[in-house]
Amino acid sequence: MWEFWRSKLSKGKTRHKRRDLDTGSDEDSPSTVRSMELTDSGMPGTSPENSSHVYFKDIILPASDDDDEDESEDVQSDVLSDTAGPDRNSTDEPQPDLGTLTTQKSKRNLGTQRSKRIHRVDRQKLIIILVGLPGRGKTFLCNKLMCYLNWLGHTTRHFNVGQYRRKQKGEDMQDAAFFDHNNVAGMKAREQALYAALDDMESWLATDEAQVAIFDATNSTEERREKLKNRFHNKWQYLYIESICNDPQVLEQNYRYKMMYSPDYKDVNTDEALKDFQDRIAKYEEVYETITDRSLHYIKLIDMVTGKGYMDVNRISGYIPGKMVFFLMQICKAGVARMRKIWFSRHGESEYNMFAKIGGDSNISPQGQIYAKLLPDLLVDRVPLTSDGQTMPVSVWTSTLRRTIQTAEHLPFPKLRWKMLDEIQAGIFDGWTYEQIEQQMPQEFVARKKDKLKYRYPSGESYLDVIQRLEPVIIEIERERECVCIVAHQAVLRALYGYFNKIPLKDIPRLEIPLHTLIELTPKPDGTMAEERIPLDVKGTNPEDLAIHLQKRLNLHSGPYATPMTPFSPFQGDGSSNSPFARVDSMGMGLDQLPTAASLGGPLALGATMGSFTIPQSLRIARAISNATSIPADVAHHAVSQALMQPGTHGSGSGGSDKLPSPAALRGSMASKRDRTSPLKNSSTAGVSAIPESASGELQALDSGTLSKAGEDAGPEFADLGTQTSIGLAQSE
């Protein structure tokens, strides 16, 4: 507001002066009196004692913009020399009349305005100059800033001097000697690369769409930084970001990561490349000078890439620089290279999805429920380990809508609900189909199709609105040290995915984020992401198949996540109305009619096998054992599964033989169910029935004859069960 009044008063002051010159009026002219009355009455104006300041409320502000004066010293000096004129007391020159003086002054003012327009600093453009030795995380910072600023709508581009150097030198490897400051030829080539990058950067900044340029080089000497300052001063806004790291362990890790991705060491032996890279750094260290000039605008990161450093912020102001400072504090909190994962998953199919409706707060459909129950098994298997071998912590974030909460219900991790993760607001179209919108509101349908990024649903949101409200979510993801699984909605995940993968804003609304697919992002040391997509085929999975998969999870998973991952056992109740297999019986299907894992597709085909045996086959064996004895079926299946995983059986991997579990192995697995101190008495046996006392004798008498009977009952493919297990019995007892 004060800038508005300062501008108005400045123009008013000029008008009063010109009116005085034109009319020859003195201090008592009506215009002068009115101006003084305005000031004296308390309205914003200039002080009679000091006309160089503006009084706005209780603040005294300069009437001119000091920043503009600082940036245009050369312009002002030219103006002063131009307007100085001859000495007014001199009689050698004839004095012009008032009309001539007014005309000359107007011309000079016009020339001054043009001159200022030509030399005015373009405050809409910003150059970020990176400073630091190699291997200090400059590329990481650059890629992160690129993701963030472009995602917010500030068009940002990266100019790496090293790429220009490699382009000039071709395929020839530039060893450490090339970077010696005493190497005249090397210095000349590096200077050529520098100016080529500068020319391209300034050409791009001159375009309308350009806003932020990141100039990526070591810029390690005061002489180099002075060159850049002289080139940019009075032309562009600029600031420096210096990255300093003194932690030997982190540096060693950074160097090895650099060897993996640097084009300078492609097809070079790792040890040889590492030695040359360290020699190169030593050449830079001979001349390296940190930033100490407090007149510069800079952000200095001291050991921030280790996650335990600090930041020196000097003369930083403005919207984009201020957001950069806050953002850099977050991304550096957890360190540069952290082996964690980020998972994105849409909610399971909802009732609205079934009818192609948008918005709403519907429940998940039966297929969505299947996905929700399969998701934990898939996710837990992919949780990385920490450096000390412990499972990395995982947090699950959902929206506040039912379909995401229900999808994440079975995930055995702490959960957090974010209102900001809610689906894009459809406004008046909430609960409509796009077909209905096209028929009843064709103009809205066309507008959305023309520009999905900026289109805002009536009384709803646009994709740009969603991106704006998701910024705090991005900040929290970046500052997390642990793994994060986000169960959300299509538009929200499009926006988040676009940030992490540097997708142009215009392409975000059309990203493919399918249902029933887990998207896994793994951060790389250079700030980019490795991606893997794992689809789950739930269409061919019916309730009994789901029960089989959950039994596989019950028997084969152990560790901190097993207990909450076993909501039920397929044999609990043994055919009662609460058993999932009661539904199988009601449909007239028996265990021998269950499909094999290979025929199911999806997750069961990917991992639900034990050696040559499928989960359905192990269930059939367990049921047959239970029918031949009084041993509960779930105990039998637990024993079969554990025995198959022991050495010397199908479940032992490539070293296993082609025989079924021996009676001894089965007896040991079942007996461990009664032994509370047994290693098998852990969360993987949760929900498995206890062995009744009446079965104790049968357990001890379990032999090849019993298994032969079980094999005949299980099916033709197990007719020789007794023969094979008798061999196993002889080998294991």
Side-chain angles (χ1 to χ4, degrees):
M1 179 62 75
W2 65 267
E3 290 180 341
F4 168 78
W5 283 111
R6 186 176 67 186
S7 173
K8 297 288 288 183
L9 287 166
S10 177
K11 293 178 181 178
K13 184 167 60 176
T14 303
R15 285 198 299 271
H16 293 323
K17 287 183 178 180
R18 290 181 179 175
R19 189 181 297 124
D20 292 343
L21 288 172
D22 292 340
T23 62
S25 61
D26 54 20
E27 293 180 356
D28 295 330
S29 66
S31 63
T32 305
V33 173
R34 283 195 299 271
S35 176
M36 294 178 65
E37 287 175 351
L38 281 173
T39 303
D40 295 338
S41 65
M43 295 292 288
T46 57
S47 168
E49 295 78 18
N50 185 2
S51 61
S52 64
H53 288 77
V54 175
Y55 288 79
F56 179 70
K57 296 185 177 180
D58 58 343
I59 305 174
I60 303 177
L61 301 167
S64 60
D65 191 344
D66 293 337
D67 291 337
D68 287 343
E69 292 173 2
D70 291 342
E71 299 288 355
S72 308
E73 290 182 24
D74 54 339
V75 175
Q76 292 178 5
S77 62
D78 292 343
V79 172
L80 289 173
S81 63
D82 182 47
T83 59
D87 186 357
R88 293 190 178 190
N89 297 325
S90 173
T91 57
D92 295 338
E93 297 291 338
Q95 297 295 322
D97 58 24
L98 290 177
T100 304
L101 180 60
T102 303
T103 303
Q104 291 177 351
K105 189 171 183 179
S106 299
K107 290 181 178 179
R108 283 197 297 270
N109 288 339
L110 181 61
T112 301
Q113 292 172 3
R114 288 175 178 171
S115 199
K116 284 186 177 180
R117 277 200 300 269
I118 293 173
H119 294 281
R120 183 181 295 275
V121 174
D122 191 338
R123 298 186 181 278
Q124 305 303 317
K125 310 294 176 75
L126 174 66
I127 299 175
I128 302 170
I129 306 168
L130 297 181
V131 177
L133 293 169
R136 264 60 180 180
K138 296 192 301 299
T139 301
F140 170 83
L141 297 174
C142 175
N143 284 325
K144 282 300 182 183
L145 286 172
M146 287 265 293
C147 288
Y148 183 60
L149 295 176
N150 278 313
W151 188 72
L152 290 179
H154 309 296
T155 307
T156 305
R157 188 171 168 184
H158 174 214
F159 295 87
N160 181 272
V161 176
Q163 293 179 355
Y164 287 84
R165 168 179 55 80
R166 284 185 286 270
K167 185 177 179 180
Q168 290 178 357
K169 297 295 290 183
E171 298 295 329
D172 298 337
M173 177 181 171
Q174 295 150 6
D175 58 13
F178 177 84
F179 299 91
D180 192 333
H181 63 281
N182 296 315
N183 184 339
V184 178
M187 289 294 293
K188 183 178 179 180
R190 290 160 63 191
E191 286 288 308
Q192 289 176 348
L194 168 69
Y195 287 112
L198 287 172
D199 291 342
D200 284 354
M201 182 181 70
E202 292 192 302
S203 297
W204 179 75
L205 281 172
T207 62
D208 292 337
E209 69 273 11
Q211 193 167 357
V212 181
I214 303 178
F215 189 69
D216 185 7
T218 56
N219 300 314
S220 53
T221 64
E222 290 186 1
E223 180 184 2
R224 165 68 72 85
R225 296 192 289 269
E226 188 67 22
K227 285 182 181 180
L228 298 177
K229 175 183 174 181
N230 293 337
R231 179 153 179 158
F232 301 150
H233 194 64
N234 288 336
K235 193 173 182 181
W236 315 103
Q237 287 195 104
Y238 60 92
L239 62 85
Y240 299 91
I241 297 180
E242 181 177 9
S243 181
I244 299 172
C245 181
N246 301 308
D247 189 316
Q249 184 177 358
V250 173
L251 290 176
E252 177 73 15
Q253 185 182 44
N254 288 350
Y255 296 165
R256 293 196 174 275
Y257 283 137
K258 186 83 171 178
M259 299 307 97
M260 296 170 59
Y261 301 107
S262 175
D264 285 337
Y265 297 104
K266 184 179 180 181
D267 301 327
V268 179
N269 177 269
T270 301
D271 293 335
E272 180 184 345
L274 184 60
K275 175 64 169 59
D276 183 83
F277 187 63
Q278 291 172 332
D279 291 342
R280 179 196 299 190
I281 294 172
K283 300 295 183 184
Y284 276 108
E285 288 177 331
E286 293 175 3
V287 296
Y288 180 74
E289 298 169 302
T290 187
I291 298 177
T292 57
D293 185 357
R294 286 290 180 180
S295 68
L296 298 177
H297 307 272
Y298 67 78
I299 304 168
K300 187 181 291 190
L301 310 174
I302 299 94
D303 287 327
M304 284 287 285
V305 294
T306 67
K308 50 189 176 182
Y310 62 95
M311 180 183 291
D312 181 5
V313 180
N314 188 69
R315 298 192 67 195
I316 297 297
S317 62
Y319 173 73
I320 293 181
K323 292 192 78 68
M324 286 169 46
V325 170
F326 178 71
F327 178 71
L328 290 173
M329 292 173 65
Q330 312 312 313
I331 64 171
C332 292
K333 178 180 180 294
V336 171
R338 51 196 190 280
M339 298 306 296
R340 65 169 186 145
K341 293 184 179 182
I342 301 168
W343 294 284
F344 294 153
S345 173
R346 283 180 68 183
H347 54 79
E349 181 190 59
S350 70
E351 294 169 348
Y352 266 30
N353 289 144
M354 296 173 66
F355 301 102
K357 294 181 179 181
I358 62 176
D361 189 15
S362 62
N363 296 313
I364 55 177
S365 69
Q367 287 194 3
Q369 294 174 15
I370 292 175
Y371 176 73
K373 292 173 181 176
L374 293 176
L375 182 59
D377 201 35
L378 178 64
L379 187 62
V380 169
D381 286 339
R382 309 185 73 86
V383 177
L385 301 178
T386 60
S387 57
D388 57 355
Q390 299 298 313
T391 303
M392 184 169 287
V394 179
S395 60
V396 178
W397 299 355
T398 72
S399 72
T400 61
L401 302 179
R402 283 181 290 184
R403 52 191 183 273
T404 63
I405 296 171
Q406 292 169 0
T407 301
E409 179 181 7
H410 302 291
L411 290 172
F413 310 111
K415 300 177 180 67
L416 178 67
R417 298 177 187 177
W418 284 69
K419 179 67 176 174
M420 285 171 283
L421 289 174
D422 283 2
E423 179 61 298
I424 185 172
Q425 294 293 325
I428 65 173
F429 295 138
D430 194 67
W432 290 39
T433 67
Y434 286 117
E435 184 178 357
Q436 288 176 318
I437 297 175
E438 183 177 16
Q439 293 173 355
Q440 301 179 35
M441 303 282 283
Q443 69 280 6
E444 294 293 335
F445 184 84
V446 172
R448 176 182 175 275
K449 188 174 182 180
K450 184 178 180 181
D451 190 352
K452 288 183 68 175
L453 178 67
K454 299 177 183 177
Y455 172 78
R456 180 179 285 115
Y457 289 100
S459 302
E461 290 181 305
S462 68
Y463 268 90
L464 290 178
D465 297 329
V466 172
I467 288 172
Q468 184 178 14
R469 70 168 155 94
L470 284 176
E471 184 181 0
V473 178
I474 289 294
I475 295 298
E476 286 302 310
I477 295 174
E478 289 288 10
R479 70 191 298 271
E480 282 287 349
R481 295 174 181 267
E482 60 188 29
C483 299
V484 179
C485 176
I486 298 179
V487 182
H489 310 268
Q490 180 170 245
V492 169
L493 293 180
R494 280 172 171 168
L496 295 177
Y497 181 91
Y499 163 78
F500 283 107
N501 290 278
K502 293 193 290 186
I503 304 297
L505 279 179
K506 62 182 179 62
D507 297 331
I508 285 179
R510 290 179 170 79
L511 289 173
E512 184 180 0
I513 309 292
L515 284 171
H516 306 151
T517 299
L518 184 68
I519 300 175
E520 180 180 274
L521 300 179
T522 304
K524 293 162 56 176
D526 62 354
T528 59
M529 290 285 176
E531 178 187 344
E532 183 178 357
R533 296 195 176 200
I534 309 99
L536 292 179
D537 182 11
V538 301
K539 291 184 179 180
T541 307
N542 49 41
E544 62 269 22
D545 303 334
L546 178 60
I548 293 168
H549 187 69
L550 292 176
Q551 182 65 23
K552 172 244 182 179
R553 186 195 309 168
L554 174 69
N555 289 317
L556 300 185
H557 274 291
S558 60
Y561 304 128
T563 299
M565 288 176 56
T566 56
F568 60 82
S569 166
F571 290 106
Q572 278 181 342
D574 198 18
S576 67
S577 59
N578 294 325
S579 171
F581 278 85
R583 296 191 296 271
V584 180
D585 296 336
S586 67
M587 292 185 292
M589 292 181 62
L591 281 172
D592 57 334
Q593 295 174 286
L594 290 176
T596 63
S599 67
L600 289 175
L604 297 180
L606 290 176
T609 61
M610 297 176 293
S612 302
F613 290 93
T614 63
I615 297 298
Q617 289 171 335
S618 66
L619 285 171
R620 288 202 290 272
I621 299 172
R623 174 67 79 178
I625 292 175
S626 179
N627 289 339
T629 66
S630 60
I631 298 173
D634 60 336
V635 176
H637 184 247
H638 176 77
V640 170
S641 300
Q642 295 292 342
L644 284 169
M645 301 302 293
Q646 294 180 9
T649 66
H650 281 279
S652 61
S654 59
S657 63
D658 291 329
K659 54 184 181 299
L660 293 164
S662 69
L666 291 175
R667 282 202 301 269
S669 298
M670 293 184 195
S672 68
K673 186 67 183 70
R674 297 180 302 176
D675 183 4
R676 303 183 64 87
T677 63
S678 168
L680 287 176
K681 182 59 183 175
N682 55 27
S683 56
S684 68
T685 62
V688 181
S689 303
I691 300 177
E693 291 298 327
S694 60
S696 299
E698 294 175 297
L699 177 60
Q700 296 299 323
L702 184 64
D703 56 14
S704 57
T706 305
L707 290 180
S708 295
K709 179 65 169 62
E712 293 174 2
D713 294 339
E717 64 267 41
F718 303 115
D720 59 345
L721 183 62
T723 304
Q724 294 190 46
T725 51
S726 62
I727 299 174
L729 178 64
Q731 293 181 349
S732 59
E733 291 186 328

